[in-house]
Amino acid sequence: MTNTPSSASGPPSGPHRLVGRQGHARWEGNLDTHAFRIGSVPIGSGSPVVIAGPCAVESHEQTLAIAHAVRAAGADLLRGGAFKPRTSPYEFQGLGIEGLEILAAARAETGLPVVTEVLDVRQVDLVARYADCLQIGARSMQNYPLLREAGRSGMPVLLKRHWAATLAEWLCAAEYIAAEGNLDIILCERGIRTFTRGEYGRNTLDVNVVPAAREMSFLPVFVDPSHATGAATMVPWAAEAGCAAGADGLIIEVIADETQVCDTLCDGEQSIRPAALAQIIRRVRPEETRDTSQPGFGLAP
Amino acid sequence: MTNTPSSASGPPSGPHRLVGRQGHARWEGNLDTHAFRIGSVPIGSGSPVVIAGPCAVESHEQTLAIAHAVRAAGADLLRGGAFKPRTSPYEFQGLGIEGLEILAAARAETGLPVVTEVLDVRQVDLVARYADCLQIGARSMQNYPLLREAGRSGMPVLLKRHWAATLAEWLCAAEYIAAEGNLDIILCERGIRTFTRGEYGRNTLDVNVVPAAREMSFLPVFVDPSHATGAATMVPWAAEAGCAAGADGLIIEVIADETQVCDTLCDGEQSIRPAALAQIIRRVRPEETRDTSQPGFGLAP
Amino acid sequence: MTNTPSSASGPPSGPHRLVGRQGHARWEGNLDTHAFRIGSVPIGSGSPVVIAGPCAVESHEQTLAIAHAVRAAGADLLRGGAFKPRTSPYEFQGLGIEGLEILAAARAETGLPVVTEVLDVRQVDLVARYADCLQIGARSMQNYPLLREAGRSGMPVLLKRHWAATLAEWLCAAEYIAAEGNLDIILCERGIRTFTRGEYGRNTLDVNVVPAAREMSFLPVFVDPSHATGAATMVPWAAEAGCAAGADGLIIEVIADETQVCDTLCDGEQSIRPAALAQIIRRVRPEETRDTSQPGFGLAP
Amino acid sequence: MTNTPSSASGPPSGPHRLVGRQGHARWEGNLDTHAFRIGSVPIGSGSPVVIAGPCAVESHEQTLAIAHAVRAAGADLLRGGAFKPRTSPYEFQGLGIEGLEILAAARAETGLPVVTEVLDVRQVDLVARYADCLQIGARSMQNYPLLREAGRSGMPVLLKRHWAATLAEWLCAAEYIAAEGNLDIILCERGIRTFTRGEYGRNTLDVNVVPAAREMSFLPVFVDPSHATGAATMVPWAAEAGCAAGADGLIIEVIADETQVCDTLCDGEQSIRPAALAQIIRRVRPEETRDTSQPGFGLAP
């Protein structure tokens, strides 16, 4: 990597000077992560954080059932889409404000802070009134007006990587948020589009980008094994692989035990059941944590 | 292709039912193109249309000089960015309203209709007051609120393909515009991102998608050889290849003879000089046009 | 491109010093092509050369019928596989020596020189006794022992680019042949594998690589529109696009009029009929040839 | 995945009928792995197996030093190239027979069985006399004569995936070996080529293919984190990610402590030091093994 930080690198510079390690005495020459909170949940503080919930908020009953199930499985935050970016105008576009109300109700019942997507720059204030963390979807990663408004909201932001974005483009997208004075940003890898598309899974989980992003930036890095695979049977493997590659957390789509995949309005085939979620969470939270000061794990000498 | 139109295919259906050929008696079983006008310039009417101009509107003097030069070279419409989507927040973001005023002045002097990008959903009305055709950039191809507002504007829309969009996703993006009652859409291929990135050119011109898109949809298909290569010496070859593949037109970035590449604020290295533009235009407008009813050129039997 | 030749570049150097323009007074600073003959057919001498024939030699009758048809359509050389590299061991592997005998018979009847693939290093001598030009397939592009033996054969070699090879890797493969004293090499682009795989066509024709390869090397560059698309209806568009991008020739798979696609043993769906071939040949051989000393077409100033 | 095995699927069929689970009572409906031995080392028997050693055999002293170091670090087998497939004909091509002799000496001293590459079909017998396992490199994955000879050798074969091969193509390559009566095959993922090439690492480790391959085939699946990243600082993360995704083993390039990266003849920048190897081995061999009969890990219900 050409941007490897060195110990005497001068003041922060370059296109992602606010979110990069280079030139920041606190962050240069180590792999430490910027720590902050979403609600009361600490992010970037060591043990992997798990965000789980339905792909889309489809109803009060569905969302509450899943919220209780993911909490019981050990998840830390609740995800769920009220505004859904859909490839076709004829697909379910989300419940909108009603969906936000349902998420707020789920939070009230379970105590789980809420992560939900905003995709229209005119709705940032609205979504920010309900959410604990704004999600910027992959398709919106280079929607610069939206990034700026998300930055101005003062809310934590989970920034998905576009499926064809370079690491530099992803960090620059974060820089648009940071330039508004907001550094509480999660970088979330959700799979890249490669020639494997359609043969197995929908995308390719780019585990390499996890250590590469952590070396370049102090922002926490999450992995979305649901979109990175597109198939429920592959999600647990991808989830563990993401954490093994150094991810600070996961965001996973979950379907209730009593729901048929074919009855979901969005991405049911990549959603896992609560029992699988529970096993993933047990496995990615080992008692012994990795020591990045050990040989091999860490920065170039 | 699985979506090959047949002569007895029932009513239009599927995720891009308004812009697809399938089920439309006028369009099914032929390769005809929907014809409309941008200003007085006919689009989709046979001979390739050429949109040319600076990457970004940088000044009144620069824009007017290029506008006159591209008109003299034979271009039909003027391009130029007033609002620029830039990877980094520290790059030149365009002159904004001042840039729109300059474009209007260039139109007044040269008579060339203006194509310019809109990237913020809150600025569609503003840009529509100045432009003759709204450009949706590659990064915005799945900005659904923006697509809807562009559709509602009633203006012709040039819709760039994202560098990692499937043909189905691109047509669905057009469908969002069409669903607002607006069919005056140009599909514009501008190169896809592949493993070749950075070795030669910045992207790979996907010439295959030109006949594939024309077979699926009746919308005119343009090619942008500037972004599809990223290098001025490759632009003429890519421009001719695009037209040979069946494109209805080109959009090309031009730099004035008196400007140094290093003095441009945006993408100077992929901009060609007016004399190269003139030669491209002469070569892609042969007197003999292709007859798609001949063997080989056209639909599957 | 970092390797742009300059007028004072010193002696040939780098990993493709024999086949690159750099340092060769005859080739540096121009776009001229090394000219040689396959049988009596001149290669690299201006007007595009067309190699056509069946994907695989399936029988004497089939091959002779196609050979006569492609000659009547205006093709210059005959292609046809006697040894076929097949993804599965259970697919038709070619007729072997019998196939070579049939190709020789077709040459005797039509006068067309024969291009055929060699894929086993132990069979180079055998194939060289029958062929006028050895084809190295995409899968074998980095089979270095095979490249060396092909170089030693003294025969012209058509070197297909692997679907995931960089330009540098392709030129280095040619260098292995050249290092044996053999410069009569055709570089043949046959499509790269991208995320579009399977949606339309099988591969993406990389037209950008044609001017890029011509700028780096003096070897003639051909395009294979059959593999680069995988669909007969797209072949004519891709063939013209390849020539418009500067290709010195084409290699095209043809099926006889009387044969059903489903009756072919190999790649019938991407083979075109003789009448389509005839139209392609008429269109890619315009009376007026391109003048690369004109503005825009040619080298960087 | 369309090829998901079901419990009543009929006799083995399709292009990879010998190495696929489908139709084999022993392998269908589970994720068990075919177990065999390389020398005395069991493969596919549970805990990850680690193959380690230099990229290329450069000298007796260098190879012996690394062999002792990787054994001390806990590696099970020794790797090292005597015949090296190199992009350029001017790069170090390996020591050939002398390299094989050195590997044999290293085995005699350390007891580690030897895995080494064969790339010329005419040298299979030679390499088989020295090696305990034949490696087929990525470039040779579709060198069908070589696959057949490797199958006939009766030796265990480590079959690398080409950087642009589909899963089906990879399994079909294994089928060529299996069709000669040899099922002792390791499938080894070594990174695919994507648009990320050159920004960070050289390739993208495709962790998704590990569970996908294990679901389709009973052959053991290994991961090569050295080539899959191309950078020593990323190797430990990729190694752990590969095992977390279900890999049965790793193959890792190692450089001696006393060697400068710039002094290596091949791929030094992706080679790790013995202490890093030791830490990787400790971390990927946890006492508690994964139970794939648990919810989420395993086959579709």
Side-chain angles (χ1 to χ4, degrees):
Chain A
M1 267 165 286
T2 54
N3 265 329
T4 306
S6 73
S7 52
S9 65
S13 61
H16 35 79
R17 65 194 70 157
L18 297 176
V19 304
R21 293 187 183 276
Q22 182 269 322
H24 297 280
R26 168 68 187 86
W27 305 117
E28 200 163 1
N30 61 55
L31 286 179
D32 293 351
T33 303
H34 170 58
F36 57 92
R37 284 176 187 272
I38 300 177
S40 58
V41 177
I43 306 294
S45 299
S47 190
V49 171
V50 177
I51 309 169
C55 175
V57 176
E58 299 183 12
S59 72
H60 187 276
E61 181 186 24
Q62 167 247 20
T63 303
L64 272 288
I66 296 178
H68 282 289
V70 303
R71 184 190 172 201
D76 305 292
L77 298 104
L78 177 66
R79 62 148 292 148
F83 295 97
K84 297 296 299 176
R86 302 306 297 276
T87 299
S88 161
Y90 310 118
E91 294 174 301
F92 175 61
Q93 308 275 319
L95 294 179
I97 297 179
E98 183 189 348
L100 296 174
E101 297 277 4
I102 293 169
L103 287 167
R107 174 177 50 203
E109 280 209 18
T110 62
L112 298 178
V114 165
V115 181
T116 195
E117 178 162 356
V118 58
L119 54 82
D120 188 326
V121 69
R122 298 165 299 192
Q123 293 171 330
V124 173
D125 287 347
L126 172 68
V127 177
R129 283 201 295 276
Y130 289 89
D132 299 285
C133 174
L134 299 177
Q135 178 177 322
I136 304 286
R139 292 167 176 84
S140 303
M141 194 203 83
Q142 293 188 314
N143 183 335
Y144 303 121
L146 185 64
L147 295 173
R148 286 206 174 94
E149 292 296 337
R152 287 174 195 148
S153 75
M155 304 278 294
V157 179
L158 184 143
L159 177 64
K160 292 230 181 151
R161 180 190 187 192
H162 189 276
W163 55 78
T166 63
L167 173 54
E169 289 168 344
W170 193 20
L171 295 179
C172 281
E175 188 83 3
Y176 269 94
I177 298 168
E180 302 297 328
N182 186 349
L183 279 172
D184 294 348
I185 305 165
I186 294 170
L187 300 170
C188 183
E189 155 68 16
R190 46 75 76 205
I192 59 174
R193 184 168 280 181
T194 71
F195 69 85
T196 71
R197 190 179 70 88
E199 193 189 20
Y200 49 93
R202 298 199 313 186
N203 293 291
T204 300
L205 171 58
D206 181 4
V207 288
N208 289 10
V209 88
V210 178
R214 293 185 63 223
E215 189 173 328
M216 294 290 289
S217 172
F218 53 80
L219 296 177
V221 180
F222 276 43
V223 160
D224 170 354
S226 306
H227 287 87
T229 61
T233 56
M234 298 174 76
V235 167
W237 307 99
E240 283 199 35
C243 290
D248 299 285
L250 299 167
I251 179 167
I252 301 178
E253 294 186 352
V254 174
I255 187 174
D257 283 324
E258 53 274 18
T259 306
Q260 302 286 319
V261 167
C262 59
D263 289 340
T264 59
L265 297 176
C266 185
D267 283 350
E269 70 288 342
Q270 71 191 29
S271 296
I272 62 172
R273 304 290 177 178
L277 179 68
Q279 194 193 179
I280 292 170
I281 292 175
R282 278 195 303 273
R283 290 185 51 82
V284 300
R285 288 184 182 154
E287 278 141 56
E288 178 208 359
T289 54
R290 185 186 287 118
D291 179 359
T292 58
S293 69
Q294 289 289 309
F297 291 87
L299 300 175
Chain B
M1 267 165 289
T2 54
N3 266 330
T4 307
S6 73
S7 52
S9 65
S13 61
H16 34 78
R17 64 194 70 156
L18 297 176
V19 304
R21 292 186 184 277
Q22 181 269 324
H24 297 279
R26 169 65 188 89
W27 304 118
E28 199 163 1
N30 60 55
L31 286 179
D32 294 351
T33 303
H34 170 58
F36 57 92
R37 285 176 185 271
I38 300 178
S40 59
V41 177
I43 305 295
S45 298
S47 191
V49 170
V50 177
I51 308 169
C55 175
V57 175
E58 300 183 12
S59 73
H60 186 275
E61 181 187 22
Q62 168 246 19
T63 303
L64 272 288
I66 296 178
H68 282 288
V70 304
R71 185 190 172 203
D76 304 293
L77 298 105
L78 178 66
R79 62 148 291 148
F83 295 98
K84 297 296 300 176
R86 300 307 297 275
T87 299
S88 162
Y90 308 119
E91 294 175 301
F92 175 60
Q93 309 274 319
L95 295 179
I97 297 181
E98 184 190 347
L100 296 174
E101 296 278 3
I102 293 170
L103 287 167
R107 174 177 49 204
E109 280 208 16
T110 61
L112 297 178
V114 164
V115 181
T116 196
E117 178 162 357
V118 58
L119 53 82
D120 187 326
V121 69
R122 299 165 299 191
Q123 294 170 329
V124 173
D125 288 346
L126 171 67
V127 177
R129 284 200 296 276
Y130 289 88
D132 299 286
C133 175
L134 299 176
Q135 178 177 321
I136 305 287
R139 291 167 177 84
S140 303
M141 194 202 85
Q142 293 188 314
N143 183 336
Y144 302 121
L146 184 64
L147 295 173
R148 286 207 173 93
E149 292 296 337
R152 286 171 196 152
S153 75
M155 303 278 295
V157 179
L158 183 143
L159 176 66
K160 291 231 182 151
R161 180 190 186 190
H162 189 276
W163 56 79
T166 62
L167 173 54
E169 289 168 343
W170 193 20
L171 295 179
C172 281
E175 188 84 2
Y176 270 93
I177 298 168
E180 302 298 328
N182 185 351
L183 280 174
D184 293 349
I185 305 165
I186 294 170
L187 300 170
C188 183
E189 155 67 15
R190 47 76 73 206
I192 58 174
R193 185 167 279 181
T194 70
F195 70 86
T196 72
R197 191 180 68 89
E199 193 190 21
Y200 49 92
R202 298 198 314 188
N203 293 291
T204 300
L205 171 59
D206 181 4
V207 288
N208 289 10
V209 86
V210 178
R214 293 184 63 222
E215 189 173 328
M216 294 291 288
S217 171
F218 53 80
L219 296 177
V221 180
F222 277 41
V223 160
D224 171 353
S226 307
H227 287 86
T229 62
T233 57
M234 298 174 75
V235 167
W237 306 100
E240 283 198 35
C243 289
D248 298 285
L250 300 167
I251 180 166
I252 301 178
E253 294 186 351
V254 174
I255 188 174
D257 283 321
E258 53 275 17
T259 306
Q260 301 286 320
V261 167
C262 59
D263 289 340
T264 59
L265 297 176
C266 184
D267 283 352
E269 69 289 341
Q270 72 191 27
S271 297
I272 60 172
R273 304 290 177 178
L277 178 68
Q279 195 192 181
I280 293 170
I281 292 175
R282 278 196 303 273
R283 289 184 54 83
V284 301
R285 288 185 183 153
E287 278 142 54
E288 179 207 357
T289 55
R290 184 186 287 117
D291 179 1
T292 57
S293 68
Q294 290 288 311
F297 291 86
L299 300 175
Chain C
M1 269 164 283
T2 54
N3 266 331
T4 306
S6 73
S7 52
S9 64
S13 62
H16 35 77
R17 65 194 71 156
L18 297 176
V19 303
R21 293 187 184 276
Q22 182 268 323
H24 297 280
R26 168 67 188 88
W27 304 117
E28 199 162 0
N30 60 56
L31 286 179
D32 294 351
T33 303
H34 169 57
F36 57 92
R37 284 176 186 273
I38 300 178
S40 59
V41 177
I43 305 295
S45 299
S47 190
V49 170
V50 177
I51 309 168
C55 176
V57 175
E58 300 183 11
S59 71
H60 186 276
E61 180 187 23
Q62 167 248 20
T63 303
L64 272 288
I66 296 178
H68 282 287
V70 303
R71 184 190 171 202
D76 304 293
L77 299 104
L78 177 67
R79 63 147 290 147
F83 295 98
K84 298 296 301 176
R86 301 306 298 275
T87 299
S88 161
Y90 309 119
E91 294 174 300
F92 174 61
Q93 309 274 320
L95 295 180
I97 297 179
E98 182 189 350
L100 296 174
E101 297 277 5
I102 293 170
L103 288 167
R107 175 178 48 203
E109 280 208 16
T110 62
L112 298 178
V114 164
V115 181
T116 196
E117 178 162 358
V118 58
L119 54 81
D120 187 326
V121 70
R122 299 166 298 190
Q123 294 170 330
V124 173
D125 287 347
L126 171 69
V127 177
R129 282 201 296 277
Y130 289 89
D132 299 285
C133 175
L134 299 178
Q135 178 177 319
I136 304 286
R139 292 168 176 84
S140 303
M141 195 202 83
Q142 293 188 313
N143 183 337
Y144 303 121
L146 185 62
L147 295 173
R148 286 206 173 94
E149 293 295 338
R152 288 173 194 151
S153 76
M155 303 278 295
V157 178
L158 184 144
L159 177 64
K160 292 232 182 150
R161 179 190 187 190
H162 188 275
W163 55 79
T166 63
L167 174 53
E169 289 168 343
W170 194 19
L171 294 179
C172 282
E175 188 84 1
Y176 271 93
I177 299 168
E180 303 297 328
N182 186 350
L183 279 173
D184 294 348
I185 305 165
I186 294 170
L187 299 170
C188 182
E189 154 68 16
R190 46 74 77 206
I192 58 174
R193 185 168 277 181
T194 71
F195 69 86
T196 72
R197 190 178 70 90
E199 193 189 21
Y200 49 93
R202 297 199 312 188
N203 293 291
T204 300
L205 171 58
D206 181 3
V207 288
N208 290 11
V209 87
V210 178
R214 293 184 63 221
E215 189 174 328
M216 295 290 289
S217 172
F218 53 79
L219 297 177
V221 180
F222 276 42
V223 160
D224 170 353
S226 307
H227 288 86
T229 61
T233 56
M234 298 174 75
V235 167
W237 306 99
E240 283 199 33
C243 289
D248 298 286
L250 300 167
I251 180 166
I252 302 179
E253 294 186 352
V254 174
I255 187 174
D257 283 323
E258 52 274 20
T259 306
Q260 302 286 319
V261 167
C262 58
D263 288 340
T264 59
L265 296 177
C266 185
D267 284 350
E269 69 289 342
Q270 72 191 27
S271 297
I272 60 172
R273 303 290 178 178
L277 178 69
Q279 194 193 182
I280 292 170
I281 292 175
R282 278 196 303 273
R283 289 185 53 82
V284 300
R285 288 183 182 155
E287 280 141 56
E288 179 207 357
T289 55
R290 186 185 285 117
D291 178 1
T292 57
S293 68
Q294 289 288 311
F297 291 87
L299 300 174
Chain D
M1 268 165 287
T2 52
N3 265 331
T4 306
S6 73
S7 52
S9 63
S13 61
H16 34 78
R17 67 194 68 157
L18 297 176
V19 303
R21 292 187 184 277
Q22 181 268 324
H24 297 280
R26 169 66 187 88
W27 305 117
E28 199 163 0
N30 61 55
L31 286 179
D32 294 350
T33 303
H34 169 58
F36 57 94
R37 284 176 186 272
I38 300 178
S40 59
V41 177
I43 306 294
S45 299
S47 191
V49 170
V50 177
I51 309 168
C55 175
V57 175
E58 300 183 12
S59 71
H60 186 275
E61 181 187 23
Q62 167 247 21
T63 303
L64 272 289
I66 296 178
H68 282 288
V70 304
R71 184 189 172 202
D76 305 292
L77 299 105
L78 177 66
R79 61 147 290 147
F83 295 97
K84 297 295 300 177
R86 301 305 298 275
T87 299
S88 161
Y90 309 119
E91 295 175 300
F92 175 61
Q93 308 274 319
L95 294 179
I97 296 180
E98 183 190 348
L100 297 174
E101 297 277 4
I102 293 170
L103 288 167
R107 174 179 48 204
E109 280 209 16
T110 63
L112 297 178
V114 165
V115 181
T116 196
E117 178 163 356
V118 58
L119 53 83
D120 187 326
V121 70
R122 298 166 300 191
Q123 294 170 328
V124 173
D125 288 347
L126 171 69
V127 178
R129 283 200 296 276
Y130 289 88
D132 299 285
C133 174
L134 299 177
Q135 178 177 321
I136 304 286
R139 292 167 176 83
S140 303
M141 195 202 85
Q142 294 188 314
N143 182 337
Y144 303 121
L146 185 63
L147 295 173
R148 286 206 173 94
E149 293 296 337
R152 287 172 195 151
S153 75
M155 304 278 295
V157 178
L158 183 143
L159 176 65
K160 291 231 182 151
R161 179 191 186 191
H162 189 276
W163 55 80
T166 63
L167 174 54
E169 289 168 343
W170 193 20
L171 295 178
C172 281
E175 188 83 4
Y176 270 93
I177 299 168
E180 302 298 328
N182 186 350
L183 279 173
D184 293 350
I185 305 165
I186 295 171
L187 299 170
C188 182
E189 155 67 16
R190 46 77 74 205
I192 58 174
R193 185 167 278 181
T194 71
F195 69 87
T196 71
R197 190 179 70 89
E199 194 189 19
Y200 48 93
R202 298 199 315 187
N203 293 290
T204 299
L205 171 58
D206 181 5
V207 288
N208 289 11
V209 86
V210 178
R214 293 184 64 221
E215 189 173 329
M216 294 290 289
S217 172
F218 53 78
L219 296 177
V221 180
F222 276 42
V223 160
D224 171 353
S226 307
H227 287 87
T229 61
T233 56
M234 298 173 75
V235 166
W237 307 100
E240 284 199 34
C243 290
D248 299 285
L250 300 168
I251 180 166
I252 301 179
E253 294 186 353
V254 174
I255 187 174
D257 283 322
E258 53 275 18
T259 306
Q260 302 287 318
V261 167
C262 59
D263 289 339
T264 59
L265 296 176
C266 184
D267 283 351
E269 68 290 341
Q270 72 191 29
S271 296
I272 62 172
R273 304 289 177 178
L277 179 68
Q279 196 194 179
I280 292 170
I281 292 174
R282 279 195 303 273
R283 289 186 53 82
V284 301
R285 288 184 182 153
E287 279 142 55
E288 177 208 358
T289 55
R290 184 185 288 118
D291 178 0
T292 57
S293 69
Q294 288 291 309
F297 291 85
L299 301 175

